[in-house]
Amino acid sequence: MNTDVLNATPRTVSMPTDTGWWRDAVIYQVYVRSFADGSGDGTGDLAGVRDRLGYLKELGVDAIWFTPWYPSPLADGGYDVQDYRDIDPRFGTLAEAEQLIEEALALGIRTIIDIVPNHISDQHEWFQQALAAGPGSPERARFWFHPGRGENGDEMPTDWVSSFQGSTWTRTTNPDGTPGEWYLHLFTREQPDLNWNHPDVRREHEDILRFWFDRGVAGVRIDSAAMPVKDAALPSLPKGTAAPGDHPHIDRDELHDIYRDWRAVADEYEGERVLVGEVWLDDAERFARYLRSDEMHTAFNFDFMTQPWNAAAMRASITRTLAEHEPIGAPATWVLSNHDITRPVTRYGRADSGFAFLRKRFGTPTDIARGTQRARAAALLVAALPGSLYIYQGDELGLPEVELPREVIQDPMHFRSEGVDPGRDGCRVPLPWSGTSAPYGFGGTAWLPQPADWSTYTVEAQRSDPTSMLNLYRQAIALRRSQADFATGELEWLELGADIIAFHRGDNLISITNLSATPVPLPAHHEVLLSSAPLGGVLPPDSTVWLALRESPERSDGAQQ
Ligand code: GLC
């Protein structure tokens, strides 16, 4: 634990006070390890981010979400947190994080950090104390330690299945070398689950929120937000689908009390500090419960991201998403990918263009040119929808998923699948900034190898190419800011054919995405605002166009282009 910080008073950070900023914000996800390396050791760091804040300002984003930047043994890419009140020395220092938050704010960019409530690192002092203190101790009560089943206690306490495949319990060894209790971990064995029935766990997380809000953090992304509460009776998994709220470790009703308490903490602060949940749930009604007005502000909408390149499936997902958010007055979020998901350029270039964790395989044939065309179209489609927009670093460069050689893969999902699943490192390869060979201006030799053919993907190369993915993203974000209807205009569907996704935003804007195999004529319009492909009077297959019906009114909320 970073003890220096306990006595230190954070600097007073003055926060912007515009209300509802998160409702249509563009939020850029920085995976710190792979964004930019200021120290030259091959690992991305805060110095690298500070150097590139100008890039993010130019891109036009409203906020940065940092994946965990805390000290961590990196058993799960930083989602195994050793100390929630400090910065991993490989990334920098707490003082640098404070500077970064302020420098970003000075450019009008807010900071969102990642909070991981379900589990901590097995190297966290609480877990180390629990192991040392032994069975029945108060230190163990903060976790899920339990004797095994069977005569010798050598069977796992439950049949619960890990999101990472494989077992959810690991047996400890007593000081005398005999086998001891088991502890629960819904992810890897290095990520013991916390017991959220314990008051220390609740208090500690509320303190952590305050610690970062005091430092000017504008929000938290809540990791695995539907998982922290468990049924203390440790029942078996239900046969078939559990009744709502009745699964032993997913989406339990008691979670809502926790997020209400967190919301109360966030609301103590000026400048609207937001809670963003990573909530993977199929049940729309259960999902919406997390967004009630005294709980989270928003939650990631993964439904759209998992859909294949198919108009009916994508339109149905948009309709479902808007319908589930509407009654609670929460904005939808639009997410094409993140650090866990196959890059869109690759996904949309495959025969199976949807996404599911358990379907990933090495050697899947991919048409990158087609995938890129579709990813461009998808970027404009989601940017035209009502709600907030998340961009995962590198998607604005159109980076493909990298198929890494097995010997460099670090992701536990790969190992826990016994090498069948390539894991998630393929979307975590460090960004190419400039130059014609690796490390492409990233810094030192990147911790995951960058492909030899990435010179055309660099920021430098794309900056000067008006047709690049980077310029498409920049223009799209600038238009979202400057056109009032993108912020407030109602979405109204426009019927242009079964394979076309078309809608109005307000009175003035139309977005049309052509998922058919033939070009589509453009409806009457005043001006083409932006298109993902050259038009020549028609909208080609796999592309999106934004049309203005008349001279555009500027936004009245002061947002600048
Ligand atoms: C979330 C994160 C993922 C991590 C997991 C366990 O799903 O996005 O990267 O492995 O939680 O913390």
Side-chain angles (χ1 to χ4, degrees), residues 85-326:
R85 295 182 181 82
D86 204 356
I87 297 293
D88 193 296
R90 282 163 288 203
F91 297 160
T93 62
L94 181 62
E96 259 181 300
E98 291 175 349
Q99 279 166 347
L100 169 51
I101 293 165
E102 286 185 47
E103 286 162 2
L105 267 182
L107 295 175
I109 300 174
R110 289 169 158 96
T111 293
I112 294 175
I113 56 160
D114 218 311
I115 292 286
V116 186
N118 182 66
H119 46 267
I120 60 179
S121 163
D122 63 350
Q123 301 305 310
H124 188 291
E125 64 177 11
W126 275 14
F127 192 70
Q128 290 297 314
Q129 288 163 358
L131 285 180
S137 61
E139 289 83 354
R140 286 205 175 184
R142 292 167 173 159
F143 299 90
W144 294 99
F145 279 90
H146 210 268
R149 289 188 299 192
E151 213 176 305
N152 303 315
D154 51 10
E155 289 167 36
M156 281 182 252
T158 70
D159 58 353
W160 299 358
V161 178
S162 169
S163 315
F164 280 179
Q165 303 187 49
S167 90
T168 54
W169 293 89
T170 291
R171 196 162 193 187
T172 59
T173 306
N174 293 321
D176 64 2
T178 55
E181 288 185 317
W182 299 71
Y183 67 87
L184 174 70
H185 50 84
L186 292 182
F187 294 92
T188 70
R189 59 186 294 163
E190 294 89 354
Q191 294 166 292
D193 280 42
L194 288 165
N195 175 2
W196 275 85
N197 300 331
H198 198 294
D200 284 1
V201 173
R202 290 186 173 230
R203 209 170 21 237
E204 169 69 358
H205 277 78
E206 288 174 25
D207 283 358
I208 293 166
L209 293 180
R210 289 200 178 87
F211 179 87
W212 288 106
F213 288 151
D214 283 343
R215 284 167 174 74
V217 157
V220 293
R221 176 261 189 195
I222 308 167
D223 186 70
S224 305
M227 298 171 86
V229 173
K230 279 86 195 179
D231 182 341
L234 302 183
S236 296
L237 289 175
K239 311 234 174 314
T241 317
D246 211 26
H247 189 283
H249 63 80
I250 298 175
D251 186 34
R252 295 191 61 80
D253 290 336
E254 303 89 320
L255 283 163
H256 297 284
D257 287 339
I258 297 172
Y259 299 128
R260 279 192 198 105
D261 289 349
W262 286 26
R263 178 61 177 260
V265 173
D267 287 349
E268 287 166 14
Y269 287 82
E270 57 157 14
E272 288 196 326
R273 315 298 171 103
V274 301
L275 309 181
V276 181
E278 189 207 17
V279 180
W280 286 89
L281 285 182
D282 291 336
D283 182 326
E285 192 274 323
R286 297 289 301 182
F287 176 90
R289 284 166 170 251
Y290 290 81
L291 303 177
R292 290 176 290 198
S293 61
D294 58 348
E295 299 191 40
M296 298 176 189
H297 296 74
T298 62
F300 295 123
N301 156 30
F302 294 123
D303 186 70
F304 183 80
M305 182 190 72
T306 58
Q307 301 305 320
W309 186 255
N310 171 289
M314 289 165 99
R315 199 189 297 105
S317 173
I318 297 169
T319 306
R320 255 195 316 274
T321 301
L322 296 177
E324 80 200 21
H325 285 79
E326 211 267 325

Side-chain angles (χ1 to χ4, degrees), residues 331-364:
T333 63
W334 303 100
V335 181
L336 285 178
S337 82
N338 63 35
H339 64 291
D340 296 329
I341 310 297
T342 310
R343 293 265 190 200
V345 156
T346 300
R347 234 168 52 219
Y348 291 139
R350 291 182 168 168
D352 173 5
S353 54
F355 178 80
F357 281 109
L358 297 180
R359 293 207 301 262
K360 297 172 73 185
R361 293 292 175 270
F362 285 93
T364 309

